[in-house]
């Protein structure tokens, strides 16, 4: 079996980006993909001081036979090694990548490659969140933070038939939010005792920023029996005001990445409804592939 030489970018203990090479044989159920573009995600920042390959879309090593895997939810596999790659593993920041066939997803012809990268991560993440929350076309969907995740959440929620309501600390993002399809925009008060004045409560609340905000502050903006989906990576505990959360019948749902079915559905949905990330292009160093970062940040 012939070996393929792969060149890719990886993190390191020094926090710098290193160019690495490895040799991999292509197995019977694996696919060799030539990388032309890749989205840049906040998760890559978390992995920068590790030795793993960077560029995490579609990456994850699962057992393939547990209850979660066989039901299509491999992101919840208890044996998954996630982002902790072996020495020969690489991410999407490279010239070629070898993946198991179950983690390769066809991109609809209507979506340009430059837009496909962020949709493979931020796009599928917010689509999965709306799906597990049971969002309905009659719902108001609150979106906290309008960066890489948030600006796609606005578009998906709008195309879903919902009213997207954006919460941000930055007033300058109001115009962008409205252009993307938001029906309402609220600035999160900077003071601890500041309150959010929302006339009609939201039924689904997505936390899409860089860190969880004061949870108690957002209890005020929820409609009865609202669903909250945190989409933020952090190590701090989630602190909930107990009775204000319990009495109205709210619920919190964990959601990470997307099932295979929802991954495919999210791309089809984006193609059909013309959902596209706002991107900035950064040419790579001495290679044919390019990086794509979701914007606004």
């Amino acid at each position: 079996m012939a070996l393929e030489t792969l060149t890719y970018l990886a993190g390191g203990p020094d926090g710098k980006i290193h160019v690495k090479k490895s040799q991999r044989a292509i197995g019977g159920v694996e696919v060799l993909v030539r990388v032309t573009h890749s989205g840049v995600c906040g998760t890559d920042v978390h992995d920068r001081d590790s030795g793993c390959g960077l560029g995490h879309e579609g990456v994850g090593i699962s057992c393939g036979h547990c209850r979660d895997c066989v039901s299509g939810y491999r992101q919840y596999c208890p044996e998954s090694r996630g982002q902790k790659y072996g020495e020969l593993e690489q991410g999407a920041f490279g010239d070629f990548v070898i993946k198991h066939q179950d983690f390769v997803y066809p991109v609809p012809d209507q979506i340009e490659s430059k837009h496909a990268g962020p949709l493979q991560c931020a796009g599928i993440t917010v689509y999965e969140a709306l799906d597990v929350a049971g969002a309905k076309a009659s719902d108001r969907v609150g979106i906290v933070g309008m960066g890489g995740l948030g600006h796609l959440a606005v578009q998906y929620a709008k195309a879903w038939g919902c009213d997207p309501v954006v919460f941000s600390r930055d007033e300058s993002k109001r115009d962008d939010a409205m252009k993307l399809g938001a029906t309402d925009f609220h600035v999160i008060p900077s003071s601890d005792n500041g309150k959010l004045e929302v006339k009609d409560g939201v039924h689904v609340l997505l936390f899409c920023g860089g860190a969880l905000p004061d949870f108690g502050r957002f209890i005020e903006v929820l409609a009865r029996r609202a669903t909250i989906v945190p989409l933020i990576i952090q190590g701090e505990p989630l602190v909930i005001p107990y009775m204000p959360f319990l009495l109205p019948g709210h619920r919190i749902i964990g959601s990470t990445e997307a099932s295979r079915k929802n991954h495919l559905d999210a791309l089809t949905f984006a193609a059909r409804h013309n959902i596209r990330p706002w991107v900035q292009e950064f040419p790579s160093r001495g290679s044919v592939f390019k990086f794509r970062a979701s914007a606004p940040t």
Side-chain angles (χ1 to χ4, degrees):
M1 185 179 293
L3 294 176
E4 292 288 341
T5 299
L6 307 173
T7 303
Y8 59 96
L9 301 182
D14 56 3
K16 295 181 179 179
I17 306 299
H18 303 270
V19 178
K20 291 188 176 182
K21 292 181 181 292
S22 67
Q23 286 191 321
R24 281 278 308 274
I26 304 176
V29 292
E30 291 184 315
V31 180
L32 177 67
V33 180
R34 182 175 66 85
V35 179
T36 61
H37 302 80
S38 178
V40 180
C41 178
T43 304
D44 297 310
V45 178
H46 293 283
D47 289 336
R48 185 166 178 158
D49 60 355
S50 69
C52 71
L54 300 176
H56 67 281
E57 286 85 354
V59 174
I61 303 171
S62 303
C63 70
H65 57 74
C66 70
R67 180 177 181 178
D68 297 294
C69 282
V70 299
S71 61
Y73 288 88
R74 291 192 171 186
Q75 70 269 35
Y76 297 119
C77 173
E79 297 182 29
S80 173
R81 295 202 295 271
Q83 302 302 319
K84 303 303 180 183
Y85 306 100
E87 183 180 353
L88 298 182
E89 291 293 336
Q90 79 295 327
F93 293 177
D95 50 3
F96 289 88
V97 63
I98 297 173
K99 294 297 173 191
H100 189 283
Q101 63 183 14
D102 289 351
F103 293 96
V104 178
Y105 306 94
V107 177
D109 292 339
Q110 303 95 313
I111 301 177
E112 295 183 65
S113 293
K114 66 180 182 180
H115 293 136
L119 287 176
Q120 301 277 36
C121 178
I124 65 166
T125 297
V126 296
Y127 183 94
E128 177 83 6
L130 290 169
D131 182 65
V132 299
K136 302 183 294 294
S138 58
D139 287 343
R140 284 165 57 83
V141 175
I143 298 157
V144 183
M146 212 190 71
L149 281 173
H151 88 289
L152 282 170
V154 173
Q155 296 181 69
Y156 270 103
K158 185 69 174 181
W160 210 281
C162 305
D163 283 340
V165 181
V166 173
F167 300 91
S168 173
R169 296 188 183 279
D170 191 348
E171 168 65 34
S172 68
K173 292 189 176 183
R174 181 186 295 272
D175 288 345
D176 286 342
M178 306 312 284
K179 289 177 183 177
L180 288 164
T183 57
D184 206 355
F185 181 93
H186 297 273
V187 176
I188 302 172
S190 56
S191 62
D192 292 338
N193 57 357
K195 290 188 176 183
L196 287 164
E197 301 293 338
V198 178
K199 182 178 179 182
D200 297 315
V202 300
H203 305 91
V204 175
L205 185 65
L206 308 182
F207 285 118
C208 299
L212 280 176
D214 179 3
F215 204 89
R217 172 172 284 171
F218 285 91
I219 290 290
E220 305 169 356
V221 310
L222 300 177
R224 294 278 171 158
R225 302 175 62 222
T227 300
I228 303 158
V229 189
L231 299 173
I232 296 169
I233 297 176
Q234 70 167 36
E236 299 299 319
L238 176 63
V239 180
I240 303 171
Y242 183 69
M243 294 304 288
F245 175 82
L246 185 69
L247 291 178
H250 302 321
R251 62 176 181 159
I252 298 175
I253 296 181
S255 177
T256 61
E257 306 172 40
S259 66
R260 177 170 179 81
K261 180 181 184 303
N262 274 351
H263 198 131
L264 295 168
D265 287 350
L267 292 173
T268 301
F269 192 86
R272 182 174 299 160
H273 294 280
N274 197 33
I275 296 171
R276 303 292 184 270
W278 290 0
V279 298
Q280 295 172 291
E281 182 177 349
F282 301 92
S284 64
R285 296 182 300 174
S287 183
V288 297
F289 63 93
K290 300 182 184 296
F291 298 105
R292 293 281 172 173
S294 293
T297 57

